[in-house]
Amino acid sequence: MSRNLTQSKYLFPLTRIQKRMKRLTGKVVRYDAAQSTAYVIHYLIAELLILAGKINFSGKVPNKERITPRKLFLAAKRDREFAALLADTVIAQSGTQPHIHRRLLRSCPCDCDDCCCN
C-alpha cells in the first residue's frame, strides 16, 4: 500500500484524486484537499446506497440480493438534492424515470364522484 492510503486508513485512491484535481485546476493541490474530497465522495456514495437499499427492499417483489443500476437511478431521482446534483448524469442500464404527463391522465371535467361524462 502507498503511504497516502495507509495514513488516512481509506480505500479511495487519494493520489489519483489529487492528480485529477491538479489537472482540472492547474494549480498545486495539497494532500488535505484530496483527502477531504475523498471523504465527501465516500459520504455521497454511502447516502445514495442507503436510499437505493430502501427502494430495493420496498417493492412488490423485494430484491434483497443486489442493488441494480435501476434502483440507483430511482433513488437519485426521488431525492431532491441528488436529483439536482445528478441532473445531467446518465446511469447505464437504468431506464427512464416513470412519469405520465397530466394531459394523458383521464379526468372528469365536471368533478363528480361517479363519472357520468363517458
Side-chain angles (χ1 to χ4, degrees):
M1 270 190 182
S2 69
R3 181 182 71 83
N4 291 342
L5 292 177
T6 55
Q7 274 186 351
S8 66
K9 298 176 186 166
Y10 206 66
L11 297 177
F12 275 101
L14 297 177
T15 53
R16 187 182 307 166
I17 291 174
Q18 188 176 15
K19 286 178 185 177
R20 287 192 183 196
M21 288 173 67
K22 182 179 179 181
R23 194 179 330 142
L24 286 173
T25 60
K27 299 178 181 179
V28 176
V29 177
R30 291 182 53 187
Y31 173 75
D32 299 340
Q35 189 175 19
S36 61
T37 303
Y39 288 142
V40 169
I41 292 171
H42 179 267
Y43 176 75
L44 289 174
I45 290 172
E47 283 292 320
L48 187 61
L49 286 175
I50 288 170
L51 291 172
K54 287 180 183 178
I55 289 175
N56 201 26
F57 289 124
S58 66
K60 291 181 181 176
V61 181
N63 183 6
K64 298 179 182 179
E65 297 171 1
R66 63 184 177 139
I67 295 174
T68 60
R70 175 76 178 157
K71 303 296 182 186
L72 288 172
F73 174 75
L74 291 175
K77 292 298 178 184
R78 288 182 184 173
D79 188 56
R80 192 178 75 235
E81 286 105 12
F82 274 116
L85 182 66
L86 303 174
D88 298 329
T89 305
V90 176
I91 300 174
Q93 297 182 354
S94 63
T96 60
Q97 185 176 11
H99 173 72
I100 300 174
H101 198 273
R102 278 187 289 141
R103 290 186 180 179
L104 297 176
L105 294 173
R106 290 187 182 179
S107 63
C108 183
C110 62
D111 295 330
C112 60
D113 294 331
D114 300 327
C115 189
C116 59
C117 300
N118 290 338

